[in-house]
Amino acid sequence: MSNSLPSARNPASSSASIIVRTIGTAQPISWLLRAWHDLMRCGWISVLHGVAIALIGALMLWLAHDRFWFMAGAFSGFLLVGPVLATSLYALSRGLERGDKPGLAKVLETWLNWKHGRVQAWGEAQWRLVQFGVLLALAGTAWVLVSAGLITWLAPVPITSPLVFIEQVVLAREGWLFEIWLALGGALVAPIFASTVITIPLLLDRQVSIGQAIAASWQVIFANPVPMAFWGALIMLLTLLGFATALIGLVLLVPLLGHASWHAYRDLLDVSALPEQEQR
């Protein structure tokens, strides 16, 4: 399966092909295994990403306290914006493929366009990543607003805390509010997942527009519906595991999923015909 996509630099005058590969259902397991290998090679610099995300999550939970919808928004935002925050993990895995030495310099290059001992002006590639992150944040906000509206409208009592949500929605003996809420969440989250599964690694690695990267991500889903559903379930399960361990598990799970997402991108797409992003 393939799709002709123009070069991001000069779409009017040149074109290149993205080839979408089909994979086996169990292939996501191999991404996690290779990710663990990357994590071991990168060491503390990978773990630092997990520490940072865990601390951000802890701060959000502390600020939310018993304000349920703020907490729900923080969790949703984490799931949606997490792939953007993992950008430097993708860069580290890409560097390992190319024989680069992993370290803080690679992280600074990714986020600050650090060259020759100082910060350089951002190029188009960096701004595309920021723009995509904003789109994800808006999507997360929309989901929280829709979810809050549904629960507020149909719940028998005001939902003011996670405990009340569990008692009055999740464990409710009458009505179908929880099932409706889950179905709505699935309907909103599925297209977001389809739009992001390989988008950010592709934007980091090759000269493509946001629209072209999203289109390629959807092609991946259509070509591999069962493996990608399995991959999405693994991401959700591991993320929930990280939260269930009082965020401590995120210290290792965040870098593991970040490195694994790079390997997913490499297995799912052949982008050899596309121009690379300029080496920093």
Side-chain angles (χ1 to χ4, degrees):
M1 181 175 181
S2 65
N3 182 49
S4 292
L5 295 177
S7 167
R9 262 191 189 176
N10 194 357
S13 63
S14 63
S15 62
S17 178
I18 287 183
I19 300 174
V20 178
R21 302 188 181 102
T22 55
I23 60 172
T25 302
Q27 189 72 4
I29 299 297
S30 75
W31 301 338
L32 292 173
L33 294 175
R34 282 180 277 169
W36 181 256
H37 183 61
D38 286 357
L39 177 57
M40 292 296 99
R41 292 177 66 187
C42 292
W44 70 270
I45 196 64
S46 282
V47 174
L48 186 62
H49 289 74
V51 172
I53 296 299
L55 290 176
I56 292 172
L59 176 62
M60 287 181 173
L61 292 177
W62 179 76
L63 291 174
H65 190 45
D66 60 353
R67 289 170 287 185
F68 174 69
W69 291 114
F70 186 92
M71 185 181 297
F75 180 72
S76 300
F78 176 87
L79 291 177
L80 293 172
V81 183
V84 178
L85 300 178
T87 300
S88 44
L89 290 168
Y90 312 147
L92 286 167
S93 285
R94 180 180 64 170
L96 290 175
E97 285 185 1
R98 297 175 174 179
D100 297 342
K101 183 178 179 180
L104 184 59
K106 181 63 68 177
V107 177
L108 294 176
E109 288 171 5
T110 303
W111 290 110
L112 302 178
N113 202 17
W114 183 270
K115 296 179 184 177
H116 311 301
R118 62 188 181 90
V119 177
Q120 305 286 335
W122 275 9
E124 291 184 5
Q126 288 89 357
W127 284 115
R128 288 193 191 102
L129 289 170
V130 170
Q131 291 164 8
F132 189 65
V134 170
L135 290 175
L136 289 178
L138 291 175
T141 302
W143 155 241
V144 173
L145 292 175
V146 171
S147 178
L150 175 72
I151 298 298
T152 301
W153 180 36
L154 296 179
V157 299
I159 305 299
T160 57
S161 70
L163 182 59
V164 176
F165 178 80
I166 292 173
E167 291 177 347
Q168 299 296 329
V169 179
V170 178
L171 300 179
R173 296 182 179 181
E174 298 181 359
W176 296 88
L177 178 55
F178 184 55
E179 289 77 8
I180 295 171
W181 182 76
L182 286 178
L184 177 63
L188 292 174
V189 170
I192 294 174
F193 175 72
S195 299
T196 60
V197 66
I198 51 83
T199 301
I200 298 174
L202 178 54
L203 288 171
L204 173 74
D205 191 41
R206 301 287 162 161
Q207 295 177 24
V208 295
S209 70
I210 293 175
Q212 292 162 352
I214 292 174
S217 189
W218 275 89
Q219 290 180 28
V220 162
I221 298 296
F222 289 139
N224 302 278
V226 176
M228 300 318 296
F230 180 44
W231 178 228
L234 283 175
I235 292 173
M236 181 63 70
L237 177 63
L238 292 175
T239 302
L240 290 174
L241 178 62
F243 275 84
T245 56
L247 305 182
I248 296 174
L250 294 179
V251 172
L252 289 179
L253 292 175
V254 165
L256 185 71
L257 288 173
H259 290 305
S261 294
W262 172 261
H263 291 292
Y265 157 70
R266 296 292 288 153
D267 279 1
L268 288 163
L269 292 182
D270 178 355
V271 295
S272 56
L274 286 172
E276 295 185 4
Q277 293 289 1
E278 293 182 1
Q279 294 295 301
R280 301 182 177 96

